[in-house]
Amino acid sequence: MSPNKRLVVGQGQISGYISIFLAALALLGILCFHYPEKLTTPEFREIYTKNSMEILMLAGVIGCFFFHY
């Protein structure tokens, strides 16, 4: 893709970028679950719960698959 070319609706590039972005967010979320002491702050750990973050990550993965196809 040349630097001056715009994204065109209907070619699948926009949904592909959204899919990659959601997949990267899900991967970062999994890393935050495995290493919460290093990747999160105590203030945020008090706000969100494990169940709410699992639902949010599942929604991101489903959205990733939705935008992929």
Side-chain angles (χ1 to χ4, degrees):
M1 188 165 108
S2 68
N4 295 331
K5 188 175 178 185
R6 295 181 55 96
L7 295 176
V8 179
V9 175
Q11 292 182 349
Q13 290 178 337
I14 297 171
S15 63
Y17 289 135
I18 292 172
S19 177
I20 291 170
F21 176 72
L22 290 175
L25 285 180
L27 178 65
L28 290 173
I30 291 170
L31 289 174
C32 286
F33 270 123
H34 283 287
Y35 307 107
E37 299 85 20
K38 296 181 181 179
L39 299 175
T40 61
T41 62
E43 294 85 15
F44 284 127
R45 278 184 251 146
E46 293 175 1
I47 296 172
Y48 59 79
T49 64
K50 182 179 184 258
N51 290 335
S52 65
M53 289 300 108
E54 285 178 350
I55 291 171
L56 187 63
M57 283 183 21
L58 180 63
V61 170
I62 290 172
C64 178
F65 284 120
F66 174 74
F67 282 110
H68 183 271
Y69 291 107

